[in-house]
Amino acid sequence: MEEEKKNIILVSTKNYKTEGIKCTEGNRKIIFLNPKLKDQVYLETEIYKSIFGEDLGKKEFFLEAGSYGNIIEAYENTLITLLEKEHKVPEDYYDRLDEYRKVVYRNLFTLEDYVDNKHRFDEIHEILGDYYVLKMKYPLERIPYEFNLRYIRMKSLYDSGEQLYISSLLNYEELEF
C-alpha cells in the first residue's frame, strides 16, 4: 500500500520537465493512480481512467486550451450523481440560508435524531449553482464537499485558458515539491 501512494500523476497547466516542478505550484493537481478508499480521490482518479484508459500513467498527454471540456463535464456528472443523495435547499430559501438551516432543516429531525445522527454538524454549501445541506462530521460523509473543491480547482485550470499537461507515472518522493 505504501509503495502505491508514492506513484502519482501530475496534472498541470505547466510542463514540469521543461519549466521545473516549482513552476507547477498553484497550477497543478496530483492524482494517485490506485487509491485504496472510495472517496473523492478515488472518484477523481476514475474520471481520468475513464477518459485516458490504459494509457493513463504510461504516456504523457498535452491537451490544448479549451480541449479538455470533457474532463470538466465528467467532474460535473460525478458531482450530480453524488448530490442525488444530499438534501437540496428549496430555491425559496436561497436568500435566507441561515434561517433554513436553523429552523426548517432542524425541524426535519427529532431532537434525539438530530443529536445522535450528528446532523447538527451539517452545513449548507453552493454546488453547481444550487445549495445543498451536506453532512460534515466524518471524512467519508464529506465526499461531495471535498469532490466539489476538486472540481472547482480543475475548473479554474480550464478557465485559465492554458493547455493541460498530464504526466506519466511519477515517483512522489523523487519530486522536489
Side-chain angles (χ1 to χ4, degrees):
M1 180 179 140
E2 196 172 318
E3 193 63 35
E4 288 183 30
K5 278 191 171 181
K6 295 178 186 174
N7 293 321
I8 65 165
I9 294 170
L10 186 69
V11 177
S12 176
T13 57
K14 307 289 182 196
N15 183 344
Y16 84 98
K17 286 183 177 179
T18 59
E19 300 184 41
I21 197 70
K22 294 285 184 197
C23 190
T24 66
E25 253 178 58
N27 298 305
R28 70 176 174 228
K29 298 181 72 41
I30 294 174
I31 306 294
F32 291 95
L33 198 54
N34 294 309
K36 294 295 183 187
L37 293 176
K38 290 197 174 188
D39 60 1
Q40 63 276 2
V41 175
Y42 170 83
L43 293 171
E44 190 170 44
T45 301
E46 289 302 303
I47 287 172
Y48 287 91
K49 283 182 177 179
S50 71
I51 293 171
F52 298 104
E54 295 292 320
D55 290 336
L56 184 65
K58 295 177 184 171
K59 293 173 34 177
E60 295 178 345
F61 298 94
F62 292 93
L63 306 174
E64 293 297 322
S67 71
Y68 48 98
N70 59 333
I71 296 174
I72 302 303
E73 188 177 319
Y75 272 85
E76 290 171 354
N77 290 338
T78 302
L79 260 175
I80 289 167
T81 302
L82 287 171
L83 293 172
E84 288 173 353
K85 300 173 189 168
E86 301 302 324
H87 183 89
K88 185 176 178 184
V89 175
E91 288 185 26
D92 299 346
Y93 287 95
Y94 279 15
D95 58 342
R96 300 174 296 167
L97 294 174
D98 199 41
E99 175 189 341
Y100 183 80
R101 167 76 178 85
K102 290 180 179 174
V103 180
V104 180
Y105 181 73
R106 164 63 187 87
N107 288 332
L108 295 175
F109 308 100
T110 64
L111 179 61
E112 183 178 294
D113 188 41
Y114 185 76
V115 173
D116 292 345
N117 290 320
K118 311 295 186 252
H119 289 287
R120 67 176 180 256
F121 296 104
D122 297 355
E123 296 177 6
I124 295 176
H125 292 279
E126 182 180 4
I127 301 175
L128 298 175
D130 291 316
Y131 289 95
Y132 293 87
V133 182
L134 303 176
K135 295 177 182 153
M136 301 296 281
K137 177 67 175 166
Y138 301 109
L140 287 177
E141 292 178 336
R142 297 171 54 102
I143 292 173
Y145 171 77
E146 297 292 340
F147 189 80
N148 184 53
L149 294 179
R150 290 172 179 271
Y151 161 73
I152 290 169
R153 181 72 189 118
M154 187 63 204
K155 183 89 166 83
S156 73
L157 294 179
Y158 180 77
D159 291 342
S160 72
E162 295 187 50
Q163 68 181 9
L164 192 68
Y165 166 75
I166 302 173
S167 75
S168 57
L169 203 58
L170 303 170
N171 185 324
Y172 185 81
E173 291 181 354
E174 291 175 6
L175 299 174
E176 297 176 9
F177 285 111

